[in-house]
């Protein structure tokens, strides 16, 4: 097997894995956020913010850290919970009464994931 065949086979295998991941949007995903929060959601919800890092991460474009069947995200669980609720409401329920610190953390989280409020 020459080098080009080897590269081609690896690319086809990786591309097949990405297609399989992205084809099952209703798949349940177990998340461990910050080591303290556990979330169960769908891949569809995690990829609904088009163009975001969250979409890229869960559409198969990034390697995920998986431990005990859960995808680990090294993020603040309290803030990620707010973000998840915003995604569930399609961005229609932006929290209004956040204290300044929490609002700053949420803004940073949205910026990190490249999601427009």
């Amino acid at each position: 097997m020459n080098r080009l065949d080897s590269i081609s086979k690896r690319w086809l295998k990786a591309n097949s894995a990405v297609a399989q991941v992205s084809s099952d949007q209703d798949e349940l995903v177990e998340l461990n956020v910050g080591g303290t929060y556990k979330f169960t959601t769908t891949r569809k919800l995690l990829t609904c913010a088009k163009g975001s890092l969250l979409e890229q991460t869960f559409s198969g474009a990034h390697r995920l850290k998986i431990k005990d069947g859960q995808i680990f995200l090294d993020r603040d669980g309290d803030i990620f919970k707010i973000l998840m609720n915003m995604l569930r409401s399609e961005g229609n329920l932006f929290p209004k009464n956040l204290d300044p610190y929490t609002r700053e953390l949420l803004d940073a989280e949205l910026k990190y994931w490249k999601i427009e409020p």
Side-chain angles (χ1 to χ4, degrees), residues 78-79 82 86 94-107:
D78 290 320
I79 302 303
I82 296 170
M86 289 174 61
F94 194 87
K96 293 178 177 67
N97 298 322
L98 296 177
D99 63 81
Y101 179 69
T102 303
R103 176 56 195 245
E104 191 174 326
L105 289 173
L106 178 58
D107 288 343

Side-chain angles (χ1 to χ4, degrees), residues 5 11 17 20 33 41 44 47 63 65 77-78 83-85 87 92 101 105 109-110 114:
D5 287 338
W11 183 86
Q20 181 180 356
V33 182
T41 189
K44 182 177 181 178
T47 59
R63 188 175 184 162
K65 299 174 193 171
D78 290 320
L83 172 64
M84 294 291 291
N85 286 326
L87 293 174
N92 294 324
Y101 179 69
L105 289 173
E109 192 73 8
L110 291 169
K114 299 179 181 145

Side-chain angles (χ1 to χ4, degrees), residues 8-82:
S8 178
K9 281 187 177 186
R10 284 195 317 256
W11 183 86
L12 287 171
K13 183 178 178 182
N15 195 37
S16 174
V18 168
Q20 181 180 356
V21 166
S22 61
S23 69
D24 193 1
Q25 292 293 302
D26 291 328
E27 173 189 0
L28 289 180
V29 178
E30 299 283 331
L31 301 175
N32 173 341
V33 182
T36 57
Y37 277 81
K38 311 289 190 246
F39 294 96
T40 301
T41 189
T42 62
R43 188 171 303 279
K44 182 177 181 178
L45 180 68
L46 294 168
T47 59
C48 73
K50 300 302 176 197
S52 70
L53 180 59
L54 199 59
E55 177 194 27
Q56 293 172 17
T57 300
F58 288 96
S59 65
H62 292 276
R63 188 175 184 162
L64 300 171
K65 299 174 193 171
I66 300 175
K67 182 177 180 185
D68 300 327
Q70 298 174 336
I71 298 169
F72 178 75
L73 300 176
D74 192 14
R75 307 301 300 164
D76 182 300
D78 290 320
I79 302 303
F80 195 79
K81 181 178 178 181
I82 296 170

